[in-house]
Amino acid sequence: MAQLFFRYGAMNSGKSIEIIKVAHNYEEQNKNVLIFTSGLDDREQIGTVSSRIGMKREAIPVFDETNIFEIVQQSEKKISCILVDEAQFFSKAHIFQLTEIVDRLDIPVIAFGLKNDFRNELFKGSEALLIYADKIEEMKTICWFCTKKASYNLRVQDDKPVYVGEQIQIGGNESYYPVCRKHYKNPPL
């Protein structure tokens, strides 16, 4: 029986590389996967899952009007697994479509993303996944400034912490650090 998994972690916790690894494992056994990612993430090329260690993989970009369920349902190939990167940027409707893929098409879905933003508020997609996912798993990484577990995403600009602003600002290590609670409240910048 298929399930919806939500694997979340702070920046730099290996979410994208895990997607590439899982896809490889399925395909090595001649099983088809579909990979989706947010159309908002334009750090590389829209429609690309890109890991910080340099590995990349093509994906189907998801925009507000995208119907993920229909794309999967209309696939000419038998799909063994759906993988989702940057799931925090998905709408509640998109997350509901993922549940329909699991429940009606009996295809497992593994969604990866951030749980909370730089203000420690839930993203809409993450909130919906926390409600609807069958299994929720944390992917761990260490704080940028110490060896404690990082649970927060610290936004920085000009080497100063930023705690207010628009929820979505696409960026990598130049804009965000994974940090522990202590260094979220008092970063040594």
Side-chain angles (χ1 to χ4, degrees), residues 23-60:
H24 172 77
N25 289 344
Y26 271 94
E27 292 167 345
E28 194 171 45
Q29 298 174 25
N30 296 315
K31 296 174 181 164
N32 297 306
V33 299
L34 284 180
I35 303 173
F36 292 88
T37 190
S38 171
L40 292 176
D41 189 353
D42 60 358
R43 285 176 285 174
E44 288 288 328
Q45 178 180 341
I46 293 176
T48 301
V49 172
S50 182
S51 165
R52 283 177 171 72
I53 65 170
M55 298 181 80
K56 297 178 186 177
R57 184 70 193 256
E58 284 187 31
I60 300 167

Side-chain angles (χ1 to χ4, degrees), residues 31-90:
K31 296 174 181 164
N32 297 306
V33 299
L34 284 180
I35 303 173
F36 292 88
T37 190
S38 171
L40 292 176
D41 189 353
D42 60 358
R43 285 176 285 174
E44 288 288 328
Q45 178 180 341
I46 293 176
T48 301
V49 172
S50 182
S51 165
R52 283 177 171 72
I53 65 170
M55 298 181 80
K56 297 178 186 177
R57 184 70 193 256
E58 284 187 31
I60 300 167
V62 174
F63 301 96
D64 287 340
E65 66 277 3
T66 305
N67 188 316
I68 304 167
F69 179 82
E70 285 182 3
I71 292 170
V72 174
Q73 187 178 39
Q74 295 170 2
S75 176
E76 295 177 8
K77 298 178 181 177
K78 180 184 186 307
I79 305 300
S80 295
C81 185
I82 303 298
L83 300 168
V84 178
D85 195 26
E86 304 292 353
Q88 72 271 8
F89 296 141
F90 283 28

Side-chain angles (χ1 to χ4, degrees), residues 136-147:
I136 300 169
E137 302 169 4
E138 182 180 19
M139 297 180 68
K140 296 178 177 77
T141 191
I142 58 170
C143 177
W144 195 262
F145 302 109
C146 70
T147 58

